[in-house]
Amino acid sequence: MYRAPVEEIAFALKHVAGLKAALDAGTFGDLGEDLVDAILGEAGRFASEEVAPLYEIGDKVGAKLKDAAVTTPPGWKAVYKHWAEGGWNSLNGPEAFGGQGLPTMIGVAALEMWNSASMAFGIGPTLSMGAVEALEKHASEELQAAYLAKLVSGEWMGTMNLTEPQAGSDLAALRTRAERAGDGTYRIFGQKIFITYGEHDLTDNIVHLVLARLPDAPAGTRGISLFLVPKFLLNDDGTPGARNDVFCSGLEEKLGIHASPTCTMIYGDGFAKDREPGAVGWLIGEENRGLACMFTMMNNARLAVGMQGVAVAETAFQKALAYANDRRQGKASGYTGEGMAPIVHHPDVQRNLLTMKALTQSARAIAYSCAYAIDMALVSEGSAKAHWQDRANLLTPVAKAFPTDVGVDVASLGVQVHGGMGFIEETGAARLLRDARIAPIYEGTNGIQAIDLVIRKLPLGNGDHVFDYIGELDAVANAVAALNSEDYGRSAICLEQSLDDLQQTTRFLQKLLEDGRTDDALAGATPYLRLFALAAGGAYLARAALADGDAGRVALCRFFAENLLGETAALKDRVTGGAASLREAAKALLSA
Amino acid sequence: MYRAPVEEIAFALKHVAGLKAALDAGTFGDLGEDLVDAILGEAGRFASEEVAPLYEIGDKVGAKLKDAAVTTPPGWKAVYKHWAEGGWNSLNGPEAFGGQGLPTMIGVAALEMWNSASMAFGIGPTLSMGAVEALEKHASEELQAAYLAKLVSGEWMGTMNLTEPQAGSDLAALRTRAERAGDGTYRIFGQKIFITYGEHDLTDNIVHLVLARLPDAPAGTRGISLFLVPKFLLNDDGTPGARNDVFCSGLEEKLGIHASPTCTMIYGDGFAKDREPGAVGWLIGEENRGLACMFTMMNNARLAVGMQGVAVAETAFQKALAYANDRRQGKASGYTGEGMAPIVHHPDVQRNLLTMKALTQSARAIAYSCAYAIDMALVSEGSAKAHWQDRANLLTPVAKAFPTDVGVDVASLGVQVHGGMGFIEETGAARLLRDARIAPIYEGTNGIQAIDLVIRKLPLGNGDHVFDYIGELDAVANAVAALNSEDYGRSAICLEQSLDDLQQTTRFLQKLLEDGRTDDALAGATPYLRLFALAAGGAYLARAALADGDAGRVALCRFFAENLLGETAALKDRVTGGAASLREAAKALLSA
């Protein structure tokens, strides 16, 4: 069973991401370390004691659809209610609508814990918070007044309706249409798929945010508008009233996150019998500017999915470590006790467990650092604001893709540590792998993230911003070198080498883009993102170790540097020397 | 739907593993290329047309247990019967008992196809063939006469009963007991778990091979004996008669291979009501020498599981490639047609697909080369026999572990290529990942394989054998260099570098073992096995390319060399420089 690693989380926030210095500087007003610790501690308790017990039944029973109504698994509704009443939905919500206005970092740390306890539980509120953000930034005062307080408190939940069968990664292909009703409202018609928590029984109303096209809209992505479509239209007193013409026509049978209903949503098919067909919707922001509205909340949503990767990796590590300390097989030189040795004493098992822990911690550090940049952008002004916005933009694709890949890899290693028991569903190790597998896919596949990093993020600040960032990481490596401590082994050399690989590869890609050799740059996007993340992750583990010299942190930094950072050279070769062979092989082998 | 890649399989057997030269030299008697091609072609047809349609229903319905009887999914029994009648069970069986006595290579190639069609189907006969091998080599003439012909034909199936709750990787902990009955037979008492096809309705009888301890047996692995325990005792005319005291008390609910019943088997609990408790068994080989009997068939069984990795990777690649050619999203510079481009034109998708194909082909080459060594050991004499036996022993752990890791990695990449659809069970991509995940675990975890490679296989031939092997791979790299062809890009340099990494790392590990630093060697076992496999796989793809200069094979060789071989340097560092930090970090972070 998951135990929230509250101290580790707090340490990473404060000493790796930078929260401590910011609190000390009064960057977040009168928010102090005591309150941060109290919130994290209580979130950890809630996640471990109340959410985690939902996980197994959520997976086994799953969400059920009957007559267009979705029922969540036994116990889920009560815990969600308790969770929302505890104020957990409103941590980052705007204070004007009852939110606590806490830094993203705090919300992200709590989000990690909900997702460690149950990814299927954690994903619902994530999308709800995205809806809050979109409404807060782009909706009219009337819409904000009608919906925001309920969404912030968690009394209602929000959804994101983007995907259609022919429009996944490419939203230009979107077909759902919106018609002006003449009274300022719109009527929405179309089908959306893969809508997470599109229908459920957790709340009395569901607020759908839906991308659609007006009849006279330009083709492509510049002709997409964003609409608010409530499941229940509101009465004059603001309470849910008549049923809107939107319904759930099907649930996907998925590999994992069974308790999270993945819905096909039908708009405007005459479901609400007592009215003209057409789901009643309200425009958010301007007509044809819907994608821009969506993009403003993309960073947070991508980071939130990245947290799912960290979260599932943490749980998988805890589970595997507990098993390895319990299960006995064979002899091990490091074990002097009676009988067979707990398998944690076998070096090969240790390698698996330490790889799991090192990857988890590095992914957490990257994600929290991204959250820090988001927060700093919010509270800064002028050039500092631009700097932190660039930083958040740079780190977001890395914070989404690397942790979610790590989630799958660590969950798979966790299965392996369990041996035969890992393949048995009862054990729960396989469940984590099943859940983890969605995160590299949704909210923009990891391939899309890598492309975003290379094409849109490397040019930030005239191409200089990324080197500012690498320079900061270099300073960490230099600090390790300056320490000249045996405990760090060859860490400094490995860190410097990996950052050098990152620097050279970054320059190489920027040059390709300048030369218009976009396809060659795209061919190297995925290995480049991993190279970026490993080099950054190594530096962050070093920063953690340097912060207090704790023996475990130093040892983990060294393990990562000496065992995992060697990969950066291979990734550099792949990016800088792999495109030509990829092109030739694709030509020879992949055509239909 | 899977289409058996018969030509690719035949090419790899003939020109990479060495079958063509062996056939031409008459090494396998009058077996000729025409017959080989005919068998492979017909196996491919059977796998694609008859076995593959069982896959989905097998996964969805699974094996069911009721009143100690297991029912296989609809259609399975008929296809199995048809399959056995077609002679597919007897390809490698001894001719004296109705088998066809064909080389292991042919059996392994066919096995790949059954497993590509359905891993849950392929695993049953694999274990049956293991039982044939054990009986053929170690059983008395009476036992052979009573059981072998039926097992060879597939009329009955055999099982392997090793694991007990406390005895998995460590069989020394085994507790099932055997008592001498005084009439030459034995009575077996105990519980076995994870018994694949331990109970089912495919055949009229099931022949269990069971490891157990005699009352006066020495402790540990030198006190284990092997017994034959039929589900039904035989009548005087050899037909199945009275029910023996062995039954299936439970089926595991597993992540994958649902149609393959994974049974808990109870021996001697009084299930057969009309007789004294105790399952009637017959000794195979000598008392207390059971583990040696098991080990004689270990190579083949491990290779067979390795084939499952190749098999599932092949199917995952085919499925992903078909989807990538069908699914359209976005624009791609390489696509000049109308509308959105099939995603196969996106460089990042191409990287995923080519990585899948390159890994699959290299895993296949390693596995077939291992089969070649097994065959050559069988037909050779004197020092040549010893040489090939060493070769088979060296390659077996690599041929089990690398392909099964590849199976998981490729199936996971396949899910990714499918995007959101990959997470939906209906698509079938996730099913392949679920099935693939068992292969790195069973028949000795891949960690155990890596330890076997380092501890037991590197010392073969006074430590020289492995260098003979590396020398053969070097010759391939040299041949690529000598060709000096632009089509190979930097392949020669990459191959030579990777083989150099392998050579140096091998010497390093041998030195550790000589110095008694076993734990440090164990700490590097898993990365060493992967380094070994990548270097060998690269050389095998080069051998394939050199064989006929086919543009696709040359391009794949180059892609592998320039994109995947860079990893060997990192793996070398991990083995040669990673043990100390692993030890320190384990001490600081992993104790309970």
Side-chain angles (χ1 to χ4, degrees):
Chain A
M1 179 73 80
Y2 169 69
R3 285 283 118 198
V6 175
E7 283 184 34
E8 255 178 33
I9 287 173
F11 188 90
L13 279 178
K14 292 180 199 171
H15 301 290
V16 180
L19 177 61
K20 177 77 163 71
L23 292 177
D24 290 351
T27 308
F28 301 112
D30 55 4
L31 179 66
E33 212 172 330
D34 286 354
L35 181 56
V36 168
D37 288 339
I39 294 171
L40 295 177
E42 187 52 27
R45 191 204 62 73
F46 197 100
S48 307
E49 293 176 17
E50 304 206 35
V51 182
L54 296 178
Y55 188 22
E56 185 172 347
I57 195 167
D59 180 61
K60 283 192 175 163
V61 175
K64 302 280 187 203
L65 173 69
K66 195 181 169 193
D67 300 334
V70 170
T71 312
T72 52
W76 278 58
K77 193 171 171 171
V79 170
Y80 174 80
K81 193 160 181 287
H82 196 199
W83 178 87
E85 285 168 359
W88 297 115
N89 196 65
S90 64
L91 285 179
N92 299 134
E95 292 172 276
F97 296 93
Q100 301 165 61
L102 287 163
T104 306
M105 277 182 277
I106 310 298
V108 152
L111 195 59
E112 179 193 320
M113 298 189 251
W114 319 136
N115 278 296
S116 272
S118 165
M119 256 183 69
F121 183 87
I123 191 63
T126 293
L127 292 161
S128 224
M129 291 168 201
V132 166
E133 208 183 336
L135 290 177
E136 186 195 355
K137 292 209 177 123
H138 302 286
S140 67
E141 282 183 23
E142 291 78 7
L143 283 180
Q144 290 185 347
Y147 292 97
L148 262 178
K150 302 278 194 183
L151 284 169
V152 166
S153 71
E155 192 173 333
W156 298 346
M157 277 173 77
T159 74
M160 296 289 151
N161 287 238
L162 286 73
T163 304
E164 298 174 14
Q166 78 294 344
S169 298
D170 186 359
L171 289 171
L174 201 135
R175 285 184 201 145
T176 293
R177 68 195 163 85
E179 294 179 0
R180 297 180 189 88
D183 60 354
T185 67
Y186 296 77
R187 295 297 174 273
I188 316 292
F189 302 88
Q191 184 195 33
K192 295 285 180 179
I193 62 169
F194 295 166
I195 308 308
T196 299
Y197 278 89
E199 162 61 24
H200 59 81
D201 59 358
L202 296 183
T203 56
D204 296 337
N205 206 356
I206 302 173
V207 183
H208 304 292
L209 266 54
V210 186
L211 290 180
R213 279 185 193 288
L214 288 160
D216 49 4
T221 54
R222 285 154 198 264
I224 296 173
S225 306
L226 181 63
F227 299 91
L228 181 153
V229 182
K231 176 178 172 185
F232 292 101
L233 300 169
L234 304 190
N235 296 319
D236 290 344
D237 65 356
T239 56
R243 190 71 165 82
N244 205 349
D245 190 6
V246 48
F247 74 104
C248 171
S249 69
L251 286 189
E252 303 292 349
E253 196 188 315
K254 308 187 298 294
L255 176 62
I257 54 166
H258 292 159
S260 166
T262 302
C263 305
T264 298
M265 301 300 295
I266 307 291
Y267 290 84
D269 198 42
F271 176 74
K273 300 294 176 208
D274 53 343
R275 48 198 319 125
E276 289 291 299
V280 181
W282 284 263
L283 184 69
I284 298 174
E286 297 173 37
E287 289 187 351
N288 300 330
R289 299 275 301 151
L291 224 51
C293 298
M294 278 307 207
F295 276 126
T296 58
M297 64 182 176
M298 209 73 108
N299 276 358
N300 283 8
R302 290 184 166 182
L303 173 58
V305 170
M307 289 322 303
Q308 296 197 300
V310 176
V312 74
E314 171 66 35
T315 305
F317 171 72
Q318 289 189 16
K319 193 172 189 64
L321 179 62
Y323 185 81
N325 272 294
D326 183 56
R327 172 70 173 172
R328 292 163 176 267
Q329 285 289 276
K331 295 188 175 80
S333 70
Y335 178 69
T336 52
E338 290 283 300
M340 294 192 285
I343 62 171
V344 74
H345 292 280
H346 295 301
D348 189 68
V349 174
Q350 291 173 344
R351 177 174 292 284
N352 282 338
L353 289 168
L354 289 170
T355 302
M356 294 168 77
K357 183 163 185 87
L359 289 173
T360 305
Q361 298 274 54
S362 60
R364 178 181 286 133
I366 289 171
Y368 287 0
S369 298
C370 180
Y372 176 78
I374 292 171
D375 283 328
M376 293 304 287
L378 280 172
V379 299
S380 304
E381 310 270 343
S383 68
K385 191 179 193 74
H387 168 83
W388 287 113
Q389 191 57 57
D390 281 355
R391 178 61 52 84
N393 287 337
L394 175 69
L395 291 186
T396 292
V398 184
K400 192 275 176 176
F402 179 68
T404 54
D405 282 343
V406 160
V408 174
D409 291 347
V410 168
S412 189
L413 283 170
V415 169
Q416 193 69 20
V417 169
H418 283 80
M421 291 306 294
F423 200 63
I424 308 301
E425 285 288 2
E426 190 189 357
T427 309
R431 180 182 301 141
L432 292 165
L433 176 59
R434 288 192 288 99
D435 282 3
R437 195 61 193 80
I438 186 57
I441 295 173
Y442 63 13
E443 206 54 44
T445 66
N446 285 0
I448 297 279
Q449 304 300 328
I451 291 167
D452 177 56
L453 174 64
V454 169
I455 302 293
R456 282 187 286 271
K457 306 306 171 61
L458 292 191
L460 289 173
N462 290 317
D464 291 335
H465 185 83
V466 61
F467 291 111
D468 291 350
Y469 178 66
I470 297 172
E472 291 171 30
L473 303 177
D474 263 327
V476 181
N478 293 341
V480 175
L483 205 63
N484 200 18
S485 155
E486 266 188 30
D487 296 341
Y488 284 83
R490 293 178 297 110
S491 296
I493 298 164
C494 296
L495 288 165
E496 283 163 3
Q497 184 57 54
S498 72
L499 290 164
D500 198 46
D501 290 335
L502 175 58
Q503 181 134 9
Q504 290 180 36
T505 312
T506 303
R507 279 201 204 289
F508 176 87
L509 285 173
Q510 289 186 335
K511 182 76 168 56
L512 284 184
L513 295 176
E514 285 162 28
D515 296 350
R517 292 171 59 191
T518 312
D519 266 18
D520 282 0
L522 290 173
T526 289
Y528 175 71
L529 188 146
R530 187 158 183 101
L531 161 53
F532 189 114
L534 286 173
Y540 286 133
L541 291 192
R543 186 180 284 171
L546 291 170
D548 70 348
D550 170 79
R553 277 188 265 276
V554 173
L556 195 67
C557 162
R558 182 181 171 194
F559 177 80
F560 191 96
E562 294 185 7
N563 281 278
L564 303 181
L565 277 184
E567 198 185 325
T568 61
L571 292 162
K572 175 187 153 198
D573 287 353
R574 211 171 289 179
V575 178
T576 60
S581 64
L582 185 147
R583 197 166 50 233
E584 293 303 316
K587 216 180 297 174
L589 295 165
L590 299 182
S591 39
Chain B
M1 178 72 85
Y2 171 69
R3 285 285 118 196
V6 174
E7 282 184 35
E8 256 179 33
I9 286 173
F11 188 90
L13 279 178
K14 290 179 198 171
H15 302 290
V16 180
L19 177 61
K20 177 75 162 74
L23 292 177
D24 291 352
T27 308
F28 301 111
D30 55 5
L31 179 65
E33 212 170 331
D34 287 354
L35 182 57
V36 168
D37 289 339
I39 294 170
L40 295 177
E42 187 52 27
R45 192 204 62 72
F46 197 99
S48 306
E49 295 176 15
E50 305 205 35
V51 182
L54 296 179
Y55 188 22
E56 187 172 345
I57 194 166
D59 180 59
K60 282 191 176 165
V61 176
K64 301 282 186 201
L65 173 68
K66 196 184 167 191
D67 301 334
V70 170
T71 312
T72 52
W76 279 59
K77 190 170 173 172
V79 170
Y80 175 81
K81 191 159 182 284
H82 196 197
W83 178 87
E85 285 168 359
W88 296 115
N89 196 65
S90 64
L91 286 178
N92 299 135
E95 293 173 276
F97 296 93
Q100 298 165 62
L102 286 163
T104 305
M105 278 182 277
I106 311 298
V108 153
L111 194 60
E112 179 192 321
M113 298 189 252
W114 319 135
N115 278 296
S116 272
S118 166
M119 255 183 71
F121 183 88
I123 191 63
T126 293
L127 292 163
S128 226
M129 290 169 204
V132 167
E133 208 184 334
L135 290 177
E136 187 196 354
K137 291 210 179 122
H138 301 288
S140 66
E141 281 184 25
E142 290 77 7
L143 283 181
Q144 290 185 347
Y147 292 96
L148 262 178
K150 302 279 194 183
L151 284 169
V152 166
S153 71
E155 193 173 333
W156 297 346
M157 278 173 76
T159 73
M160 296 291 151
N161 288 237
L162 285 74
T163 304
E164 299 174 14
Q166 78 294 346
S169 298
D170 185 358
L171 289 172
L174 202 136
R175 286 184 202 146
T176 294
R177 67 194 163 85
E179 294 179 359
R180 295 178 191 90
D183 61 354
T185 68
Y186 296 78
R187 295 297 174 273
I188 316 292
F189 302 88
Q191 182 196 35
K192 294 286 181 178
I193 62 168
F194 296 166
I195 307 309
T196 300
Y197 278 89
E199 163 60 25
H200 58 79
D201 58 358
L202 297 181
T203 56
D204 297 336
N205 205 356
I206 301 174
V207 182
H208 303 294
L209 266 55
V210 185
L211 289 180
R213 282 186 192 286
L214 288 162
D216 48 4
T221 55
R222 284 154 199 265
I224 296 171
S225 306
L226 180 63
F227 300 91
L228 181 153
V229 182
K231 176 179 172 184
F232 292 101
L233 300 168
L234 304 190
N235 296 319
D236 290 344
D237 64 357
T239 56
R243 190 71 165 81
N244 204 350
D245 189 6
V246 47
F247 74 105
C248 171
S249 67
L251 287 188
E252 303 292 350
E253 195 189 315
K254 306 186 300 291
L255 176 61
I257 56 167
H258 292 160
S260 166
T262 302
C263 307
T264 299
M265 302 299 294
I266 307 290
Y267 290 84
D269 196 43
F271 178 74
K273 300 295 175 206
D274 52 343
R275 48 196 321 122
E276 289 290 301
V280 182
W282 285 263
L283 185 70
I284 299 174
E286 296 173 37
E287 289 186 351
N288 300 331
R289 299 274 301 149
L291 224 52
C293 297
M294 278 307 207
F295 276 126
T296 59
M297 63 182 178
M298 210 73 108
N299 276 358
N300 282 8
R302 292 184 164 182
L303 174 57
V305 170
M307 291 320 304
Q308 296 197 299
V310 177
V312 76
E314 171 66 34
T315 305
F317 171 72
Q318 289 189 17
K319 190 169 192 69
L321 179 62
Y323 184 81
N325 272 292
D326 184 55
R327 171 71 172 171
R328 290 163 178 268
Q329 284 291 275
K331 296 189 173 78
S333 69
Y335 178 68
T336 52
E338 291 283 303
M340 293 192 287
I343 61 170
V344 74
H345 292 281
H346 295 302
D348 190 68
V349 174
Q350 291 172 345
R351 177 175 291 284
N352 282 338
L353 290 167
L354 290 170
T355 302
M356 294 169 76
K357 186 166 182 85
L359 289 174
T360 305
Q361 297 274 54
S362 60
R364 179 182 284 133
I366 288 170
Y368 288 1
S369 296
C370 180
Y372 177 78
I374 292 172
D375 282 329
M376 292 304 286
L378 281 171
V379 299
S380 303
E381 309 270 343
S383 68
K385 191 179 194 74
H387 168 82
W388 287 113
Q389 191 56 56
D390 280 355
R391 177 60 53 85
N393 288 338
L394 175 69
L395 291 185
T396 292
V398 185
K400 192 278 176 175
F402 179 69
T404 54
D405 282 342
V406 161
V408 174
D409 290 346
V410 168
S412 190
L413 284 170
V415 168
Q416 193 69 19
V417 169
H418 283 80
M421 292 303 296
F423 200 63
I424 308 301
E425 284 289 0
E426 189 188 358
T427 309
R431 181 183 300 140
L432 291 165
L433 176 59
R434 288 193 286 100
D435 281 5
R437 195 61 193 81
I438 186 57
I441 296 172
Y442 63 13
E443 205 55 44
T445 67
N446 286 0
I448 296 280
Q449 304 300 327
I451 291 168
D452 177 56
L453 174 64
V454 169
I455 302 292
R456 282 187 287 271
K457 305 305 170 63
L458 292 190
L460 288 173
N462 289 317
D464 291 336
H465 186 83
V466 62
F467 291 110
D468 291 351
Y469 177 67
I470 298 172
E472 290 171 29
L473 303 177
D474 264 327
V476 180
N478 293 340
V480 175
L483 205 61
N484 201 16
S485 155
E486 268 187 28
D487 296 342
Y488 284 83
R490 293 178 296 111
S491 296
I493 297 164
C494 296
L495 288 165
E496 283 163 4
Q497 184 57 53
S498 73
L499 290 164
D500 198 44
D501 290 335
L502 176 58
Q503 181 133 9
Q504 289 180 37
T505 312
T506 304
R507 277 200 205 290
F508 176 87
L509 286 173
Q510 288 185 337
K511 182 76 168 53
L512 284 184
L513 295 178
E514 284 162 28
D515 296 349
R517 292 172 56 192
T518 311
D519 265 16
D520 283 359
L522 290 173
T526 289
Y528 176 72
L529 187 146
R530 187 158 183 103
L531 162 54
F532 188 114
L534 285 172
Y540 285 134
L541 292 192
R543 186 181 282 171
L546 292 168
D548 70 348
D550 170 77
R553 276 187 266 275
V554 173
L556 195 68
C557 162
R558 183 181 168 193
F559 176 81
F560 191 97
E562 293 185 9
N563 281 278
L564 304 181
L565 277 184
E567 198 185 325
T568 61
L571 292 162
K572 175 187 153 196
D573 286 353
R574 211 170 289 178
V575 178
T576 59
S581 63
L582 185 146
R583 197 167 49 233
E584 292 304 315
K587 218 181 293 173
L589 295 165
L590 299 182
S591 38

